[in-house]
Amino acid sequence: MSATHHHHEEQDFLFKYIFSQDHKMISKQFLITGFLMGFIGMVMSTLFRLQLGFPGESFWAIDFFLGSWAENGVMAPDKYLALVTMHGTIMVFFLLTAGLSGTFSNLLIPLQIGARDMASGFLNMLSYWFFFVSSVIMLISLGVEGGAASAGWTIYPPLSALPQAIPGSGLGMTLWLVAMAIFIASSLLGSLNYIVTILNLRTKGMTMTRLPLTIWAFLVTAILGVLSFPVLLSAALLLIFDRSFGTSFYLSDIYIGGQVLEHSGGSPILFEHLFWFLGHPEVYIVLLPALGITSEIVSTMSRKPIFGYRAMVTSILAIAFLSVIVWGHHMFVTGMNPFLGAVFTFTTLLIAIPSAVKVFNYITTLWKGNIIFSPAMLFSIGLVSTFISGGVTGLILGDSALDINIHDTYFVVGHFHIVMGLSAIFGMFAGVYHWFPKMFGRMMNNTLGFFHFWITIVCAYGVFFPMHFLGLAGVPRRYYTNSEFPLFENMIDINELVTWFAIVAAFAQLLFVFNFFYSALRGPRSSQNPWRANSLEWTAPVEHIHGNWPGEIPEVHRWAYDYSKVDENGEYISGEDFISQVVPLGPNEKDGGH
Amino acid sequence: MVALVAIVAVLLIVISAVQTLKIAELWAINKGKVIYEVTQKQNKVQALLMLVFLVAYFAFFAWQVWKWGDLMLPVSASEHGVVTDRLLNITYAFIIPVFVITHIFLFWFAYKYAYNPNRKATFFSHSNKLELVWTIIPSIALTVLILFGLSSWNEIMTPVDSEKEHVLIEVQAQQFSWSARYAGADGKLGRAGVEFIEGVNAMGVDIKDKNSKDDKIVRGEIHLPVGIPVQFVFRSIDVIHSAYMPHFRAQMNCVPGVKTQFNFVPTITTEEMKKITNNEDFNYILLCNKICGAAHYNMQMDIIVESKEDYEKWLAEQKQFAEN
Ligand code: HEM
Ligand SMILES: [Cu+2]
Ligand SMILES: [Cu+2]
C-alpha cells in the first residue's frame, strides 16, 4: 500500500481519531469499545450472580441497573435469562472476539511483520465501524419492548423463533440477529485483511518460519473466522426467514399458546449443527490469539527462546484443524445417531494432544529461564494455569458417555469459563500490560498490576471452580434459582460463596480501569524497547507515525526468539541477553534456535 | 441518589488506594535496582507469591472436595450409571494427577527461576526427544479413555430389544410441565401429534388408532419397576426441553418434530435410596435441562422406583386413554 504518500499530509481531528485508517488507532478503538462492552457484560454477571447467591432477595443494585426488569429489586425470571444471554453474547463475541483479535491483530500484525499498515486501511476502518454499529444495536436491544434476546447465547429455535415462547424472542431477538449479522461482516472484513496482510506484506527476510507466534496465532484465527462465521450467518438468515416470513427450516409440530402452528417439516437440530459449526471454532477464535500473545510474553520475560517453536506452530494448526470437526460434542444428547456421537468423541479427545504439547512447551520455556514478573508475565502464567485447569475437564465433557449426565449442568459453566473465558481474558490483559507502551508510549503501574492479577486469579477460581461441584450434584445451568428443588437445598452455601467472589472480582477490575486511563494520560514515558524484546515492533519509534518506521522498513535476519544466546565461551553473543530480529546473523550463527 | 453516592465513594477509595500504592512504588524503586521495568524486590515478592498460590490453590481444591464431596449425586440408581461412574473415576485418576503435576512444575519453575543477575538463562530452544515423549504419552492415555468411553456409549445408546421384557414410556415436554404415557397391555404406543391436541387430550393422542385405547396417561409422577429395562421415548410440543434424570445418569433432549429415545434399568428403589442417602424425603426427579422459557427453572416431575408388584398395582389403578 502506498501509505507513504500520506505521510506529511495534515490530518484533521476527525480522520485522525474517528475515521482513522491507521492500524494503531483502529486497534485502540477496538480495545476501548471491547472493554466497554466487556465491562457491561461483567456488571450483568454480577447482577445475576446476586440473584443466584441470594434468590428472591431485593438489592438496590439490581433495582438501580435493571429498573423495570426487576420489580422491587428482584429480577424477573425471563429477564434473568435475558441477562445471561446478553452476558454470554457480549463476552464471547464483543469482548473476546472483536475486542481481543481486533485490538492485537491490528496493533501487532503490521508492526511485527514489518509493514507500513494493513493491506487495506479502508476495509480495516469499515471493520471497526461495523463492529461499533453492531455493539450499539446490541445495547439498544436491551431497552426494547419484551426485553433483550433471552434464548441463551446459543439462541436455539424454536425458543428463539417464537415470541409466544418467551418475550425476548420478539423485537429483542430481531435486533440480536441484525447486530450479529453486522458483527459477522465486521469480523470477515477484519479477518480477510489480516490474512492478506500477513501473507503479502512481510518485510524482507520475514519468512513464515521467522514469524513471531503471535502472528501465527492471528493468521490461523482469521482463517478459522473466515471459514466458520459465514455458516453462522446462514444459520441466522434461515432463522430470520422462519421468524418473519413463515418458512419452516427449523420448525415443525408445534403447539403453543393454545394453537397449532403452520410450520412443518423443519428441524431445530439443523440449527444446532449450523450454530456449533461456528460455535466450536469460535472457542478457538477466542483462545488462539491469547495463546499467541502469551507465548510471546513468556519467552520474552523468561529471557529464553520459546521452547519448540515448530511444535507450537504445528499445534496451533492442529488445534485449528480439529476444531472444525468436533462441533457435535455439544449435541451428544440431542438424539443424534450414536455412531456420529462416537466420531465426535474421538475427534474431540484428540484435541487434548496438541493442547498438552502447548502446555508442556510453556512450562519448559520457564525452566532454567531468568524470569521477570511483569504484570503481563503474571497473567501469562495465569493463562497456563487456567488452560490446564479448564482443559482437563474437557476430557470429561468430550466423552459422550460421561457427557450424558453433566451436559448443560454447572460443570459446563465452570469448564468453559475457565478454559475459554479466563484464558482469553488473561491473554488479553497480558497483551494490554505488555504492549501498552507500544500503544500509548507510557508504562502502566506495576503495583496496581500485581494487585489486579492476584485478586483476579484468586476470585476467578473462587467463582468458577465450585461450579464443577454444583454440576456434579446435578444442578442445571440457566436456572433462575435452585430453590425450587429439595435436591438442591444444600447448594445455597456454594452459590453464596461464588457470588461473593464474583463481586470482589468485579470491583478488582476497577484497579485495571484506573491504571489503564491514568497511565495512558499520566504514566511514566516508556523507552523504545522497555522489555528488551526481539520482535520488530520495538524497533519502531515510541511516537506513533503513519507508516510505522521513519525511514526504510527494517530487514529481518533471524527469528524472534534469540534470547540469552551465548557463544562457545558462554558470553552473550550480542553483549546483551537479547538480539533484535534486525541484527544480521554472525558468521558461525545458525538461525531458528539451532 | 444512593447509587451515585456509593459509586463516588468507591471511586474515592480506589483513588486513595492508588495514591498510597504510588508512593510505595516510588519508594521501592529508590531502594531496589530496576530490571526490565520491575524492581528486583518486586520480582522476589512475585516469585514467592507463585509458591503461595500453588499451595493455596491445591488447598482450595482439597477443601472443596472435603466440604462438598457429600453433596454430590449418590451412587448411580441405574445399571449403565455404574459403568459410567467407573469411567468417570478412571478419568479423574488420569486428569487429577495431570492437573497437580503440571501445576507444580508451572509454579515451581516460576519461583525457582526468578530473575537473578548472576545467572544466565539457558538457551534451550527445542528437543525432538522431549516433544515426542509428551506427544506419545497423552496419546496412549487418551486411547484408553476413548476406547472405554466409546464401548460404554454404544451400549447405553442401543435401544431395548423389543422382544425382551421392558416398560415403554413416552414422555412429553411442554412449557413448563411433563406428562407421560405408558404403552399399556399391548406394549405399543398409539399415534400422537400436535394436531390431535384438544381439551383433555393434552398429549395429542390419536383416538382412532387402536393402539391408543389402552395407553395410560399420567402427570405429576411416573413409576418405574426396579430391575426391568425402561424404554423412554421423548417428545416436545413447543420448544426444545431436556429430560434430565441425574440419579440415573440419564438425559435426552425433547425436540419438537423429532422423537428421541433413551433407556436404562433402574436398580435401586426409592425406599432403598432414602436409606442410602439418609434422607427420609428423598425423591428421584426428572427435571428440564434445556433453556425453554421463563419458568425453565421449575419444570419437574417425580420418579418413583418400586418393586415390580407395587409398580403393577399402581399401573392398574391408572385410567386407560379410552376411559377418558
Ligand atoms: C465476572 C466474571 C464472570 C462471571 C461471574 C460469570 C458468571 C456467569 C454465570 C453465573 C453464567 C450463567 C450460567 C448459566 O446459567 O448457564 C454465565 C454464563 C455465561 N458466561 Fe459468564 N461469567 C463471567 C465472565 C465471563 C467471561 C469472561 C466470558 C467469556 C467467555 C463469559 C461467557 C459466558 C457465556 C458464553 C455464558 C453462557 C450464556 C448462556 O448460557 O447463554 N463469562 N456466566
Ligand atoms: Cu465445542
Ligand atoms: Cu423445559
Side-chain angles (χ1 to χ4, degrees), chain A residues 342-366:
Chain A
V343 173
F344 282 123
T345 292
F346 180 69
T347 53
T348 300
L349 296 197
L350 282 188
I351 288 200
I353 298 170
S355 308
V357 169
K358 279 201 149 310
V359 166
F360 292 134
N361 285 2
Y362 272 118
I363 293 178
T364 314
T365 305
L366 296 179

Side-chain angles (χ1 to χ4, degrees), chain A residues 37-49 69 79-96 138 142 148-149 152-153 176 413 416-417 421 463-464 467 477:
Chain A
M37 292 298 276
F39 198 78
I40 295 170
M42 184 188 71
V43 171
M44 289 174 168
S45 70
T46 319
L47 293 177
F48 62 68
R49 266 320 318 175
W69 285 18
K79 295 307 180 267
Y80 169 86
L81 293 179
L83 281 178
V84 169
T85 303
M86 294 304 277
H87 161 80
T89 306
I90 287 177
M91 289 302 197
V92 171
F93 293 115
F94 290 76
L95 175 66
L96 295 179
M138 201 51 104
L142 287 167
W153 80 283
W176 192 98
V413 182
F416 76 70
H417 274 97
V463 169
F464 298 118
M467 289 187 184
R477 64 190 283 205

Side-chain angles (χ1 to χ4, degrees), chain A residues 255 405 408 446-447 479 577 593, chain B residues 25 36-37 125 244 288 290:
Chain A
Y255 176 93
N405 200 49
D408 262 344
N446 279 338
T447 312
Y479 267 28
D577 65 355
Chain B
E25 175 148 317
Y36 309 90
E37 311 293 336
S125 64
Y244 180 33
C288 182
K290 183 63 79 189

